[in-house]
């Protein structure tokens, strides 16, 4: 084959594949929107988001996902609150303090953690954590958004650790050397120089972790408690959006209002994750980030 | 007066010996230039002097280094570094404001009084010949400065902890002639008060500012003399070749 023809052929193939991938995203959004269209015609988006009554099958039909949305936010932000300090400490340790042999042992271990199926995390959470709360606090059911947050925190931890560690290690060594040359301690340099320089990568890893936490289904479904009540606190039981879809889609009659409402829920979930990602990106780009 | 005494100084990175039996003295209130081909151990010698060499894994040393009669390897490394400023080749602005770059060391050492801090900032930036350029934007991020300004900021940062000694590792190698001139000028001024040791690849720079020059080759000090003498009448054959450009 002529080399030129080969080049052109390769270019076209790459372009088609790239285009198909972006098309897929648009197709998903379009499909979700089309399937849920009757819902948006029936209720105002704000009422859909803020309403706390969910009765999609029997009249009077009520389509409000406020309780589930709140549950999702509790669970996901809660997971981040628990995971971020632990993950950052872990990333700093790996990048700055761990002896080489230990880091080489821990890094693959973290990668393995990301590979554990979420149903296993859910199972462990239900068998160990939920039981622990029941025995320790003498409650009839240990399921709660808090318990789900803890399990989710461990699920997203490796993502934050691995990405933050790369960001910390990417800081050019001159910064560390110059800062240490003044005679200050290593922790001082780490907190005042290295971590701020790695902020961009760290925030990126947090955005990724939020997406994972908000979308995670199996583990939260097994631990969060699954009640359609508005969660007053982190320690209430609740049913996050992802769990709602997973629990109800099997029994929903195709093209019924119930079915369409679940697609609307899916669309909301995508939008929540997207909005959080955009916010974090905004934070990254509008901070005075040092160039190096 | 002698500021630094180096006795039987040997260093290794793993099995590789970098410095080989260095014995030398450096004078107070004067500039000493260290020159020599790449890989001859200039930077390692400089880093030995403020104990940053040991930040590299597998670093080992033998011998002693006295600064004003005090063995710096007897202290904690942080304390030794505090008293011996080191400015690196790459201009580095820490991810802080211009003012906080200067106060990086003093704040760590517990200086809290506002008027003291303000005085340190103005004093050090003035000594580093940067005050006039930045006095109206002390709270701006330091990474907005130019390369030459960042290098002067690095010098100000080093001065802020009152070092007894200032070391510079090719501080002008990435700077334009104008910034280089400014830095050379300020080094000459600073040398009225403290000893300065500068590693340089630029022989003209050594000639312009150094009172004494040290020529190193393969981890050893080959010759050390007044700069004038070194350039005009070196006693060693290797020195002669290096200064004439035959090796380099």
């Amino acid at each position: 084959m002529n080399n030129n023809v080969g080049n052109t052929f390769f270019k076209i193939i790459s372009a088609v594949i790239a285009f198909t991938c972006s098309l897929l995203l648009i197709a998903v959004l379009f499909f979700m929107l089309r399937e849920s269209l009757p819902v948006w015609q029936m209720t105002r988006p704000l009422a859909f988001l803020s309403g706390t009554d969910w009765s999609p099958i029997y009249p009077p039909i009520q389509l409000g996902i406020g309780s589930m949305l709140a549950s999702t936010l509790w669970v996901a932000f809660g997971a981040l609150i628990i995971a971020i300090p632990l993950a950052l400490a872990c990333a700093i340790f790996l990048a700055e303090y761990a002896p080489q042999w230990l880091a080489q042992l821990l890094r693959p271990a973290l990668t393995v953690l990301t590979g554990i199926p979420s149903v296993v995390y859910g199972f462990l959470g239900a068998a160990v954590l939920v039981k622990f709360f029941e025995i320790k606090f003498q409650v009839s059911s240990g399921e709660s958004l808090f318990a789900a947050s803890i399990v989710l925190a461990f699920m997203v931890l490796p993502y934050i650790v691995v990405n933050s560690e790369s960001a910390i290690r990417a800081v050019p060594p001159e910064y560390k050397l110059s800062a240490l040359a003044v005679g200050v301690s290593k922790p001082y340099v780490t907190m005042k120089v290295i971590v701020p320089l790695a902020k961009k990568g760290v925030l990126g890893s947090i955005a990724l972790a939020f997406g994972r936490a908000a979308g995670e289904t199996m583990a939260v479904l097994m631990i969060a408690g699954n009640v359609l009540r508005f969660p007053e606190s982190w320690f209430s039981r609740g049913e996050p959006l992802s769990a709602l879809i997973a629990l109800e889609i099997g029994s929903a009659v195709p093209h019924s209002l119930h079915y369409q409402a679940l697609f609307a829920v899916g669309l909301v979930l995508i939008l929540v994750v997207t909005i959080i990602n955009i916010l974090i990106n905004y934070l990254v780009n509008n901070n005075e980030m040092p160039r190096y | 007066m002698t500021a630094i005494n180096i006795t039987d100084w040997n260093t290794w990175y793993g099995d590789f010996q970098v410095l080989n039996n260095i014995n030398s003295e450096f004078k107070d209130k004067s500039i000493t230039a260290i020159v020599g081909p790449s890989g001859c151990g200039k930077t390692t010698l400089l880093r030995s002097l403020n104990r940053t060499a040991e930040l590299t894994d597998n670093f080992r040393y033998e011998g002693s280094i006295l600064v004003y009669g005090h063995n710096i390897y007897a202290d904690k490394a942080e304390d030794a570094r505090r008293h011996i400023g080191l400015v690196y080749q790459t201009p580095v602005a820490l991810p802080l404001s211009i003012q906080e770059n200067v106060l990086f060391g003093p704040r760590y050492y517990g200086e809290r009084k506002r008027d003291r801090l303000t005085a340190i900032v103005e004093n050090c930036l003035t000594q580093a010949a940067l005050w006039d350029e930045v006095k109206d934007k002390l709270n701006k991020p330091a990474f907005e400065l130019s390369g030459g300004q960042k290098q002067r900021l690095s010098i100000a940062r080093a001065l802020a902890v009152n070092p007894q000694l200032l070391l510079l590792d090719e501080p002008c190698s990435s700077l334009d002639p104008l910034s280089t001139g400014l830095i050379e000028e300020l080094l000459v001024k600073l040398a009225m008060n403290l000893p300065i040791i500068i590693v340089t690849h630029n022989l003209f720079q050594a000639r312009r500012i150094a009172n004494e020059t040290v020529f190193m080759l393969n981890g050893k000090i080959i010759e050390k003399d007044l700069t004038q003498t070194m350039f005009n009448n070196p006693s060693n054959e290797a020195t002669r070749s290096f200064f004439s450009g035959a090796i380099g």
Side-chain angles (χ1 to χ4, degrees):
Chain A
M1 192 167 26
N2 184 315
N3 203 10
N4 224 347
V5 176
N7 270 344
T8 316
F9 180 71
F10 188 75
K11 258 189 211 164
I12 291 172
I13 292 284
S14 323
V16 167
I17 293 172
F19 185 67
T20 314
C21 290
S22 7
L23 206 66
L24 204 63
L25 175 71
I26 295 167
V28 167
L29 281 173
F30 174 76
F31 185 70
M32 303 289 288
L33 193 63
R34 198 194 63 181
E35 289 297 312
S36 61
L37 207 56
V39 176
W40 304 118
Q41 284 161 346
M42 208 184 99
T43 49
R44 283 177 301 113
L46 203 63
F48 184 70
L49 292 176
S50 62
T52 51
D53 292 310
W54 177 257
S55 172
I57 303 169
Y58 305 107
I61 300 274
Q62 301 268 15
L63 297 178
I65 61 163
S67 308
M68 285 74 95
L69 183 59
S71 293
T72 291
L73 295 177
W74 269 124
V75 167
F77 279 112
L80 288 187
I81 288 170
I82 298 167
I84 289 171
L86 290 174
L88 282 186
C90 192
I92 290 169
F93 174 73
L94 277 177
E96 294 284 314
Y97 295 94
Q100 213 164 9
W101 63 268
L102 186 61
Q104 273 164 2
L105 206 72
L106 287 174
R107 271 185 219 117
L110 283 165
T111 319
V112 172
L113 274 182
T114 60
I116 296 178
S118 64
V119 66
V120 174
Y121 277 105
F123 175 67
L124 280 175
V128 180
L129 202 60
V130 170
K131 281 284 170 295
F132 169 78
F133 284 133
E134 282 169 11
I135 295 164
K136 182 84 183 162
F137 300 110
Q138 303 279 311
V139 285
S140 58
S141 162
E143 292 165 332
S144 69
L145 298 173
F146 179 65
S149 285
I150 292 178
V151 172
L152 269 184
F154 284 99
M155 292 178 71
V156 300
L157 192 85
Y159 290 92
I160 310 182
V161 175
V162 170
N163 290 298
S164 299
E165 196 217 342
S166 333
I168 291 170
R169 286 158 69 93
V171 173
E174 298 93 85
Y175 285 91
K176 194 158 114 191
L177 288 172
S178 293
L180 282 174
V182 187
V184 298
S185 70
K186 207 170 157 183
Y188 187 71
V189 173
T190 304
M191 295 322 290
K192 285 198 85 164
V193 179
I194 311 285
V195 172
L197 284 168
K199 196 157 58 178
K200 206 167 186 164
V202 171
L203 283 172
S205 75
I206 291 171
L208 180 74
F210 180 83
R212 293 274 315 164
E216 173 49 42
T217 308
M218 196 38 99
V220 297
L221 186 134
M222 294 165 80
I223 306 167
N226 300 328
V227 293
L228 293 173
R229 222 176 318 115
F230 190 85
E232 271 105 26
S233 82
W234 200 3
F235 303 96
S236 311
R237 298 200 285 160
E239 182 168 316
L241 296 171
S242 53
L244 174 79
I245 300 174
L247 285 171
E248 297 193 0
I249 195 75
S251 60
V253 180
H255 306 297
S256 64
L257 185 66
H258 184 197
Y259 181 85
Q260 288 157 345
L262 290 176
F263 272 93
V265 171
L267 192 63
V268 169
L269 193 55
I270 294 177
L271 290 178
V272 167
V273 173
T274 311
I275 288 168
I276 296 291
N277 268 291
I278 290 171
L279 280 178
I280 290 180
N281 265 317
Y282 178 82
L283 210 68
V284 168
N285 294 326
N286 281 272
N287 246 298
E288 282 160 344
M289 286 289 166
R291 294 178 290 259
Y292 57 74
Chain B
M1 190 192 157
T2 309
I4 305 159
N5 282 299
I6 304 177
T7 315
D8 300 332
W9 187 252
N10 291 281
T11 68
W12 294 264
Y13 289 123
D15 292 331
F16 179 68
Q17 182 158 15
V18 188
L19 295 178
N20 200 329
N21 214 27
I22 303 282
N23 282 284
S24 194
E25 290 182 348
F26 293 87
K27 281 194 187 131
D28 196 3
K29 298 184 184 176
S30 83
I31 299 181
T32 309
I34 303 178
V35 299
S38 298
C40 71
K42 307 181 294 276
T43 297
T44 304
L45 180 59
L46 207 64
R47 288 192 182 183
S48 299
L49 286 171
N50 99 322
R51 297 197 56 182
T52 44
E54 65 206 70
L55 292 171
T56 311
D57 290 340
N58 305 326
F59 175 80
R60 276 189 306 127
Y61 68 88
E62 270 172 16
S64 76
I65 296 179
L66 306 183
V67 175
Y68 295 109
H70 180 77
N71 180 3
I72 55 165
Y73 279 80
D75 297 335
K76 262 176 68 189
E78 282 88 19
D79 294 333
R81 287 176 201 144
R82 180 190 176 180
H83 297 299
I84 301 162
L86 174 58
V87 175
Y88 286 91
Q89 186 173 1
T90 324
V92 168
L94 302 179
L96 301 162
S97 68
I98 293 170
Q99 172 172 300
E100 289 305 314
N101 260 271
V102 180
L103 295 176
F104 188 69
R107 280 206 197 277
Y108 175 79
Y109 284 104
E111 186 59 68
R112 293 279 175 274
K113 290 198 197 97
R114 190 174 281 255
D115 49 339
R116 272 292 300 145
L117 293 170
T118 322
I120 291 173
V121 171
E122 177 165 357
N123 183 20
C124 295
L125 287 172
T126 308
Q127 285 190 71
L130 190 59
W131 176 250
D132 289 335
E133 290 162 57
V134 301
K135 65 182 176 206
D136 299 322
K137 49 175 183 179
L138 292 173
N139 292 316
K140 285 269 169 64
F143 63 80
E144 288 176 4
L145 297 175
S146 72
Q149 289 174 323
K150 277 184 195 162
Q151 197 60 308
R152 280 177 279 149
L153 184 65
S154 299
I155 295 173
R157 193 167 56 227
L159 293 175
V161 285
N162 276 323
Q164 299 173 317
L165 171 64
L166 187 61
L167 312 170
L168 302 104
D169 188 0
E170 294 180 41
C172 303
S173 62
S174 62
L175 304 183
D176 61 273
L178 198 73
S179 304
T180 302
L182 272 170
I183 287 182
E184 288 178 1
E185 218 172 281
L186 86 89
L187 291 181
V188 171
K189 270 189 207 154
L190 289 173
M192 289 184 223
N193 296 314
L194 80 175
I196 292 177
I197 301 175
I198 177 170
V199 163
T200 179
H201 263 129
N202 183 339
L203 291 177
F204 295 108
Q205 182 168 55
R207 198 170 189 165
R208 281 193 296 266
I209 62 171
N211 308 83
E212 287 192 301
T213 298
V214 175
F215 172 61
M216 287 182 72
L217 187 65
N218 299 329
K220 293 184 180 136
I221 291 186
I222 303 294
E223 194 170 349
K224 173 170 176 289
D225 214 327
L226 292 174
T227 304
Q228 286 293 339
T229 321
M230 285 283 270
F231 276 84
N232 299 329
N233 193 15
S235 55
N236 188 290
E237 193 49 42
T239 320
R240 203 186 311 265
S241 314
F242 182 75
F243 280 81
S244 65
I247 55 171

